[in-house]
Amino acid sequence: MILKNYILMNIKKLLLLIFTVNMIMSCSEWLDVAPDDQVNEKTLFKTGEGYRNALNGVYRDMADFSMHGRELSWGMLDVLSQMYNSSNISSHHVYGQVLNYQYEASNFDNLVTEIWGSAYNAIANCNNLISRIRLENDDKFAEGEIEKKLILGEALGLRAYIHFDMLRLFGPSPREVDEKTYIPYFETYGSTFEPRLSFNEIISRVERDLKEARILVGACDTLAKNHHWFRTMYRMLGGEGKQDSQLPDELFFAYRGYRMNYYAVTATLARVYSWTGKHEEAFECANEVIYAHNMVSGSKELCFYFTDTELFDQNRKTYDEIIFCLTNQKLIERYEDFTTKATSNDTRLTFRLSSLFSGDQDDDRRKDLFTKIDYNDMSTKYMKQAANTYGEDMIPMIRVSEMYYIISEYYYNMNYPDDGIYYLDYVRTARGCAAGKLNNTITNLNELEAAIVQDAKRDFIGEGQTFYHYKKFNIKPSSNAKFVLPLPEREIIN
């Protein structure tokens, strides 16, 4: 693999670059397996620094527009969820086919082929790193054993995360699990074929990888001396340019919110357990994340808390509550192509706020996270901010509101309906909605699940998670919705 030269950047962007995914310096297709690349791979993994760069390359791959930079966030997945005003989506654009679940269209096959290829390329990159680092001595890494464990743990966590997303796309709703096989689970670098596995076989491997990852990254992230790294100012903002004694000695350990950190792995486990109906296990993981705290001036401070609604205009990603995110420096530019720069003849991603926020006109997400352009309502989540640039390049992957939804579901399933409603209402009131409205509208589990989906539609705008919530509860966003995406044609042939 031939790495491209790093692009010179200003200090502020350079710091973020080092800690996260090396977006604009981008290391090419660093895990192509052509014979003439093998020598360069050996060079890459000669040092501990090379392993850092290799891991950053996986994060970069995941933030590509064919994955979470667009299609698995505000692009294809939100279109599948019927989030956007259909009258502004052109029938000539692939999103017109996505909107109508026309999976047989060639343009749609091209789209899923690109997503599939990007995802499994990132998995191959993880596997190369995993297979090599297990054989390395601790002294190869600047921080010794703890750094080796951290890199290995993050790679395992990412491998599981990506496979689980592929299952959620190409597998069935957990309410309709069968013995059919759906996707392969790649664990060996260099393998060009693995058999497709059943839903339960895939989940078993995802859980196994996440459990190991949790132990490995926990060896660093749960140390008392490191726990302050999960304060918002360090986790998401890297200390806001401050140089103080609490910043990590090694820059690689900063910005833990942009990496598969201990709480990101734990939250992903909660997501997997909730998806498969293991409510007690899901509760334990979600509860740990919600109540994770730091000691600040002798008092407890939650690591993940809901952003003050008065700050929405200058913090449109509400990053105080983000557990894990990616970064893409061209995010705003690409989003503009579908919003502010799109003409009336283009596909424009607009919303019908009257239906999205029906019954909750006081919801601050409606008031402060949307703008009207040419009589169309558009989300400002991926637009430039007026006050500062913090968070503009963030792609949220897991946020704390999902943990509240999981606990809400747990309590209702355990026959504690009042507690179940309370945890869902807690999210709503944090967004400015009047408390207590749900007490008279939720009388059974189906109604709770529908209410969770309704709030998820508002909280996960532009993040792709709404589709998965619809699918998890087997609630169709449209009467003709098809939850199981077809495999790329080339995968069926092979």
Side-chain angles (χ1 to χ4, degrees):
M1 189 277 316
I2 301 175
L3 294 175
K4 294 181 180 177
N5 293 328
Y6 290 117
I7 297 175
L8 295 177
M9 302 179 66
N10 58 51
I11 294 299
K12 178 181 175 183
K13 294 297 181 184
L14 180 59
L15 287 175
L16 183 58
L17 180 71
I18 293 171
F19 307 137
T20 58
V21 299
N22 296 346
M23 287 304 302
I24 25 190
M25 71 182 177
S26 95
C27 30
S28 190
E29 294 299 327
W30 61 271
L31 271 182
D32 287 347
V33 294
D36 59 354
D37 285 343
Q38 290 173 0
V39 173
N40 290 307
E41 282 189 40
K42 291 178 182 177
T43 300
L44 175 65
F45 292 110
K46 249 181 183 177
T47 66
E49 184 69 26
Y51 277 96
R52 294 181 180 186
N53 290 334
L55 181 60
N56 285 344
V58 178
Y59 288 107
R60 175 191 63 82
D61 289 345
M62 292 176 66
D64 187 78
F65 295 107
S66 62
M67 291 188 69
H68 298 279
R70 181 175 63 212
E71 302 306 353
L72 301 186
S73 55
W74 52 271
M76 182 191 76
L77 282 190
D78 270 8
V79 177
L80 281 173
S81 300
Q82 306 295 310
M83 291 294 293
Y84 300 117
N85 187 341
S86 60
S87 63
N88 286 332
I89 296 181
S90 171
S91 60
H92 301 293
H93 193 280
V94 65
Y95 287 169
Q97 293 149 16
V98 172
L99 181 74
N100 293 299
Y101 308 100
Q102 294 173 338
Y103 294 160
E104 70 285 352
S106 60
N107 284 352
F108 184 82
D109 183 68
N110 292 337
L111 180 62
V112 295
T113 296
E114 189 174 10
I115 293 169
W116 180 280
S118 296
Y120 278 99
N121 182 66
I123 289 169
N125 296 351
C126 287
N127 286 335
N128 192 14
L129 190 158
I130 291 166
S131 65
R132 290 174 180 273
I133 199 170
R134 288 192 188 277
L135 303 176
E136 298 287 5
N137 294 323
D138 297 344
D139 58 10
K140 190 167 192 172
F141 304 90
E143 298 299 315
E145 180 186 16
I146 199 167
E147 181 177 342
K148 177 184 173 182
K149 286 183 175 180
L150 193 65
I151 294 173
L152 174 57
E154 288 187 31
L156 281 166
L158 293 174
R159 181 171 80 179
Y161 190 104
I162 300 169
H163 274 114
F164 183 56
D165 270 358
M166 290 298 98
L167 177 63
R168 292 199 292 176
L169 286 174
F170 298 97
S173 164
R175 299 284 171 91
E176 297 184 337
V177 172
D178 52 33
E179 295 303 315
K180 294 179 182 178
T181 58
Y182 291 96
I183 65 167
Y185 201 97
F186 279 84
E187 303 171 70
T188 304
Y189 178 65
S191 173
T192 58
F193 173 80
E194 294 291 336
R196 292 195 285 270
L197 303 177
S198 69
F199 179 97
N200 289 326
E201 288 172 325
I202 297 161
I203 289 295
S204 176
R205 297 189 188 198
V206 167
E207 182 183 358
R208 177 206 61 198
D209 279 354
L210 288 173
K211 283 183 173 180
E212 184 180 0
R214 192 177 182 214
I215 293 171
L216 289 166
V217 298
C220 174
D221 289 344
T222 61
L223 290 177
K225 69 184 183 69
N226 296 341
H227 217 242
H228 64 275
W229 295 354
F230 287 91
R231 294 181 65 192
T232 296
M233 72 160 54
Y234 297 108
R235 180 182 85 254
M236 308 309 296
L237 309 179
E240 297 180 297
K242 297 177 181 177
Q243 298 296 321
D244 60 42
S245 60
Q246 291 192 314
L247 286 171
D249 294 332
E250 283 280 344
L251 299 183
F252 179 74
F253 295 91
Y255 289 99
R256 292 300 293 154
Y258 286 83
R259 309 193 73 91
M260 200 65 172
N261 62 72
Y262 173 80
Y263 294 108
V265 176
T266 303
T268 304
L269 263 173
R271 177 183 284 177
V272 172
Y273 286 138
S274 179
W275 183 265
T276 55
K278 294 183 178 180
H279 299 298
E280 189 167 348
E281 293 91 334
F283 168 81
E284 291 174 358
C285 291
N287 198 60
E288 181 178 1
V289 174
I290 286 176
Y291 294 106
H293 66 272
N294 299 283
M295 294 301 294
V296 180
S297 301
S299 60
K300 290 183 177 181
E301 174 190 85
L302 291 177
C303 296
F304 314 103
Y305 51 88
F306 291 106
T307 299
D308 189 327
T309 56
E310 294 182 0
L311 302 178
F312 277 3
D313 186 53
Q314 56 186 295
N315 182 0
R316 289 174 179 166
K317 300 289 173 55
T318 59
Y319 50 70
D320 309 284
E321 41 198 89
I322 291 178
I323 304 164
F324 170 44
C325 70
L326 299 172
T327 178
N328 188 318
Q329 300 292 331
K330 294 186 177 181
L331 191 58
I332 291 175
E333 180 183 334
R334 290 296 180 90
Y335 187 65
E336 286 176 344
D337 293 338
F338 289 86
T339 52
T340 57
K341 289 184 178 179
T343 68
S344 58
N345 295 324
D346 297 330
T347 285
R348 307 181 84 185
L349 302 181
T350 66
F351 294 81
R352 285 198 176 100
L353 298 188
S354 58
S355 59
L356 182 59
F357 290 93
S358 177
D360 290 305
Q361 302 306 307
D362 52 351
D363 194 319
D364 287 310
R365 290 169 292 194
R366 171 183 176 139
K367 293 187 288 186
D368 298 325
L369 295 178
F370 287 87
T371 188
K372 192 175 287 294
I373 299 174
D374 297 334
Y375 305 102
N376 292 298
D377 291 305
M378 299 179 184
S379 168
T380 60
K381 186 172 282 188
Y382 296 108
M383 293 182 181
K384 291 189 70 65
Q385 295 175 170
N388 59 61
T389 60
Y390 289 132
E392 285 185 344
D393 57 354
M394 291 178 187
I395 305 167
M397 301 289 279
I398 311 178
R399 58 173 67 247
V400 76
S401 53
E402 184 177 349
M403 301 298 103
Y404 280 85
Y405 298 152
I406 287 172
I407 290 182
S408 171
E409 185 187 359
Y410 161 79
Y411 276 121
Y412 214 101
N413 273 282
M414 295 297 108
N415 295 317
Y416 296 102
D418 290 343
D419 292 326
I421 293 172
Y422 168 82
Y423 273 87
L424 174 56
D425 207 33
Y426 191 92
V427 179
R428 288 167 43 79
T429 55
R431 307 312 194 191
C433 298
K437 285 184 178 180
L438 301 180
N439 293 328
N440 297 323
T441 60
I442 296 176
T443 62
N444 56 56
L445 181 59
N446 289 338
E447 291 174 349
L448 176 79
E449 291 172 350
I452 289 175
V453 170
Q454 181 62 20
D455 201 73
K457 287 168 63 176
R458 304 172 185 179
D459 225 53
F460 300 141
I461 285 171
E463 299 177 17
Q465 296 302 321
T466 299
F467 175 77
Y468 297 133
H469 278 73
Y470 273 123
K471 187 168 182 175
K472 171 184 170 183
F473 297 127
N474 207 26
I475 299 173
K476 289 191 173 184
S478 173
S479 60
N480 64 332
K482 302 174 187 176
F483 283 138
V484 181
L485 273 62
L487 295 180
E489 186 176 339
R490 71 181 188 187
E491 295 299 320
I492 298 174
I493 294 173
N494 294 334

